[in-house]
Amino acid sequence: MPLDPKYLEILHKDVFSEEDYAALNTLAQLMRKRILEVVSKNGGHLSSTLGAVELIIAMHCVFDNPNDPFIFDVSHQAYAHKLLTGRWDSFETLRQSDGISGFTKPSESVQDYFIAGHSSTSISLGVGAAKAFNLKGSKQIPVALIGDGAMSAGLAYEALNELGDRKYPMVIILNDNEMSIAEPIGAISKYLSQIIAGKFVQGIKNKIGSAINKMPNATYIAKRFEESLKLITPGILFEELGLEYIGPIDGHNLKEIINTLKLAKNTQKPIVVHAQTLKGKGYTPAEGHLEQWHGVSPFDPVKGEALLKSNSKTPTSVFAESLLEFAKTDSNIVGITAAMPSGTGLDKLIKAYPKRFWDVAIAEQHATTQASSLAKEGLKPFVAIYSTFLQRAFDQLIHDVSIMKMPVKFAIDRAGIVGEDGETHQGAFDISYLNMIPNFTLFAPRDLATLSLAVEFAKDYSSGPCAFRYPRKEFLLQEGIFNKTPFKYGKLEILKECNTEILLLGYGNGVGRAHKCLLELEKQGINASLVDLRFAKPLDKEALNTLAKTHRKWFIFSDSAKIGGIGQILSAFAQENALQIHIISFEFEDAFISHGKIEKIEAKLGLDTQSLIAKITQYI
């Protein structure tokens, strides 16, 4: 059912009546119903976006979007924004192939200012926009909605530091859905902050500022009085950085939010509006600090239970179980994750050994650097992190880990295509950017059995940093098809060898893809050898040279970017050794991979078995 246009008309009013506020509250209920309806069917981010509904309605009431750009951080909070900007009906296609994105996306709507699938970028983007508006002489105001842990990353404070110095007009809405700042004095703080930011007190402050030289004693007294007020507000950090502060306010009270945002807009200064919200607001099972409702698979909204329950083990659970077993007997094993304890499986270890395993919040750089000093002190640090998020610590991988050959172990979850989260989350690049760093060892398991062996190898490897990758949902190769062989440093494994020119060479989950092709080729009477590369760095040079003598056509399977990927690594090796072979890579082309179900994405990329067989037979 489409959204009644009367609600959109109310958003553009200058003055709101009690009837208007009642209608806006009804709109909030309708939006929550629509979000729950679609997310329960498609999956997606739920609790955070339910909690931000009133904030987003108020933003649209007060500011002139897209003239005033809305910058969401992280933009999985922005579902309500999508519903208010012409996507009520198309919201049905959320996160589906060829449907709308689960994040803001400018190519989808002019009212989406920036793509934001990673955390803590909004204030920096807002500062850049504010500088541009200042140079143009424009009165536009950037509005950043930041929350869901995004303020725990250093990038946000780097931006705040400059903004507080340069004083560009900007409104930052801090969506505090963890109730973490000064709850006991919230009412007093809210009252005082509103007064401090109001026209009357602001006018007094400006007048006092102009009288500094004439009345030093009075200025001193006034300054001390204002500072004493700041000391009992939770905004002291922002005030000391040079920003105005209002809050905390009730992030579900539309009248209060709208009035506060109008006040913030009129200050024409950088200002933080601190709003306290409840995650999962409006859907009782998801309300509160329940991590399982942050990102969900399709579920029954009445029962609050997942529709597709699986008892099979995932790569993430096998990694966590293996590491936990080793941690029981090796007290030097420690672990770090960056705001993804359940996503990486480290929550089980944090619960079992809270002094040895830590969630450091959204701070991948900090996680990586501190792991280096842990390693220097003789411990065995595992950094459990998604492929897409490890990118954020690239400098630390080089400067703090690799130069000194610190034996940090990187367990790279969500490697390869992750599906509905789309281009910001696909784990395509870790092989490319890690392979170029000296002293790194790169390896990958092919199934659940060898994943536990990968954890064991990493545990005992002490000659430098190492990284192993594994997929989000499941390996393509079923456990037990091939023998469980321990990893040997820099050694590949021949899974099937025959007298043929054709070599199917897989890395990680690519082994399963190669094996599926092998079975199809055999049905056609075509023989091929199958190899698990196991190590991307260092390569098993001796074995590869031997294989090149009998196998002239190498087909490469790896869930990674083609540029800098396994195919190019092997091509460089072949060139250096003057090998007379033809290498064909079935890795990802030079383009970002959009969102959708993994199977549909693979078919689009030509990585389904039938498409691959058609390509292989063209070369043989």
Side-chain angles (χ1 to χ4, degrees), residues 429-551:
F429 308 112
D430 54 273
I431 294 173
S432 303
Y433 65 75
L434 289 174
N435 182 63
M436 63 181 282
I437 304 176
N439 299 326
F440 247 99
T441 291
L442 307 181
F443 60 108
R446 62 177 176 258
D447 56 16
L448 293 177
T450 54
L451 175 53
S452 62
L453 295 174
V455 177
E456 183 175 19
F457 177 86
K459 170 182 72 75
D460 296 327
Y461 184 70
S462 60
S463 298
C466 66
F468 57 99
R469 69 192 319 255
Y470 45 95
R472 176 187 182 183
K473 290 189 176 179
E474 59 185 18
F475 284 97
L476 295 172
L477 187 68
Q478 292 183 0
E479 188 175 5
I481 291 179
F482 297 103
N483 292 333
K484 183 178 177 180
T485 307
F487 282 85
K488 296 180 181 179
Y489 180 73
K491 295 297 181 181
L492 59 73
E493 185 176 1
I494 298 174
L495 302 178
K496 179 187 177 182
E497 187 171 20
C498 58
N499 185 21
T500 177
E501 282 195 328
I502 305 169
L503 174 64
L504 308 182
L505 193 151
Y507 181 69
N509 205 28
V511 177
R513 204 178 302 280
H515 182 252
K516 287 187 175 184
C517 289
L518 175 69
L519 297 178
E520 286 298 317
L521 289 172
E522 288 177 343
K523 290 178 183 179
Q524 299 179 22
I526 300 172
N527 291 321
S529 293
L530 177 63
V531 166
D532 179 357
L533 186 62
R534 303 204 105 183
F535 284 83
K537 185 178 185 181
L539 293 173
D540 190 342
K541 297 180 180 180
E542 181 180 354
L544 291 172
N545 274 305
T546 301
L547 287 166
K549 293 176 182 178
T550 53
H551 299 75

Side-chain angles (χ1 to χ4, degrees), residues 79 131 141 152 154 227 256 280-281 301 329 342 401 414 429 502-503 537 564:
Y79 289 2
K131 287 180 178 178
I141 300 177
S152 65
E227 287 179 348
E256 183 176 357
K281 173 71 173 178
T329 56
S342 64
V401 176
R414 271 62 166 179
F429 308 112
I502 305 169
L503 174 64
K537 185 178 185 181

Side-chain angles (χ1 to χ4, degrees), residues 181-194:
I181 305 176
E183 184 183 3
I185 57 169
I188 297 174
S189 172
K190 175 172 61 179
Y191 174 71
L192 292 174
S193 295
Q194 292 272 13

Side-chain angles (χ1 to χ4, degrees), residues 202-245:
Q202 288 295 315
I204 291 177
K205 287 170 66 178
N206 291 335
K207 289 178 181 178
I208 290 176
S210 66
I212 288 177
N213 293 327
K214 297 178 181 179
M215 301 178 63
N217 292 333
T219 300
Y220 172 77
I221 293 171
K223 183 175 177 61
R224 290 300 299 271
F225 174 73
E226 183 177 341
E227 287 179 348
S228 69
L229 291 180
K230 289 180 185 178
L231 288 174
I232 59 172
T233 73
I236 186 169
L237 170 63
F238 301 109
E239 296 270 10
E240 290 301 318
L241 285 170
L243 288 81
E244 301 293 324
Y245 172 87

Side-chain angles (χ1 to χ4, degrees), residues 92-109:
E92 190 76 24
T93 68
L94 180 73
R95 291 162 49 93
Q96 304 300 294
S97 297
D98 301 319
I100 66 173
S101 171
F103 302 99
T104 49
K105 196 170 185 178
S107 62
E108 189 177 288
S109 170

Side-chain angles (χ1 to χ4, degrees), residues 95-102 105 107-108 417-426 591-598 600-602 604-605:
R95 291 162 49 93
Q96 304 300 294
S97 297
D98 301 319
I100 66 173
S101 171
K105 196 170 185 178
S107 62
E108 189 177 288
I417 299 171
V418 300
E420 290 87 350
D421 281 334
E423 54 264 70
T424 60
H425 281 58
Q426 311 289 13
F592 288 105
I593 301 170
S594 190
H595 59 273
K597 293 190 180 301
I598 292 176
K600 289 188 176 182
I601 293 174
E602 290 176 343
K604 279 187 176 182
L605 297 176

Side-chain angles (χ1 to χ4, degrees), residues 149-430:
M151 283 293 290
S152 65
L155 180 62
Y157 295 94
E158 293 175 25
L160 285 171
N161 184 54
E162 183 184 15
L163 181 61
D165 179 57
R166 299 191 185 277
K167 309 294 185 185
Y168 296 112
M170 180 176 171
V171 175
I172 301 166
I173 302 169
L174 174 57
N175 179 14
D176 174 17
N177 54 23
E178 295 295 337
M179 302 287 285
S180 59
I181 305 176
E183 184 183 3
I185 57 169
I188 297 174
S189 172
K190 175 172 61 179
Y191 174 71
L192 292 174
S193 295
Q194 292 272 13
I195 290 176
I196 291 171
K199 290 182 179 179
F200 178 72
V201 174
Q202 288 295 315
I204 291 177
K205 287 170 66 178
N206 291 335
K207 289 178 181 178
I208 290 176
S210 66
I212 288 177
N213 293 327
K214 297 178 181 179
M215 301 178 63
N217 292 333
T219 300
Y220 172 77
I221 293 171
K223 183 175 177 61
R224 290 300 299 271
F225 174 73
E226 183 177 341
E227 287 179 348
S228 69
L229 291 180
K230 289 180 185 178
L231 288 174
I232 59 172
T233 73
I236 186 169
L237 170 63
F238 301 109
E239 296 270 10
E240 290 301 318
L241 285 170
L243 288 81
E244 301 293 324
Y245 172 87
I246 302 176
I249 64 171
D250 181 352
H252 300 300
N253 185 320
L254 274 164
K255 181 183 288 188
E256 183 176 357
I257 305 166
I258 289 172
N259 289 336
T260 302
L261 291 184
K262 284 182 176 180
L263 182 65
K265 179 181 179 179
N266 292 333
T267 63
Q268 289 295 304
K269 295 178 180 180
I271 186 166
V272 174
V273 175
H274 175 189
Q276 290 182 329
T277 61
L278 177 65
K279 294 187 79 166
K281 173 71 173 178
Y283 182 56
T284 303
E287 288 184 344
H289 306 158
L290 302 173
E291 189 179 352
Q292 68 266 30
W293 288 103
H294 174 77
V296 296
S297 300
F299 65 97
D300 182 335
V302 177
K303 297 180 179 179
E305 297 176 354
L307 292 177
L308 301 174
K309 295 183 179 180
S310 174
N311 294 322
S312 61
K313 292 184 177 181
T314 64
T316 300
S317 64
V318 169
F319 159 72
E321 290 168 7
S322 300
L323 187 60
L324 181 58
E325 285 303 309
F326 292 128
K328 290 177 181 178
T329 56
D330 189 340
S331 60
N332 284 326
I333 292 177
V334 296
I336 302 166
T337 187
M340 292 292 174
S342 64
T344 60
L346 225 61
D347 55 337
K348 299 178 180 64
L349 291 102
I350 292 172
K351 183 178 180 179
Y353 300 103
K355 293 184 177 181
R356 290 165 53 190
F357 293 87
W358 308 277
D359 176 7
V360 300
I362 304 176
E364 294 85 358
Q365 294 167 300
H366 170 52
T368 301
T369 295
Q370 70 168 274
S372 294
S373 54
L374 285 166
K376 184 176 175 61
E377 292 300 324
L379 299 174
K380 299 178 179 180
F382 280 78
V383 179
I385 199 163
Y386 294 2
S387 172
T388 184
F389 295 143
L390 185 58
Q391 297 162 187
R392 294 162 61 95
F394 182 70
D395 180 59
Q396 288 66 41
L397 291 168
I398 296 174
H399 185 273
D400 302 328
V401 176
S402 295
I403 290 178
M404 290 180 59
K405 299 180 69 173
M406 291 291 103
V408 180
K409 301 91 171 53
F410 292 91
I412 304 176
D413 204 324
R414 271 62 166 179
I417 299 171
V418 300
E420 290 87 350
D421 281 334
E423 54 264 70
T424 60
H425 281 58
Q426 311 289 13
F429 308 112
D430 54 273

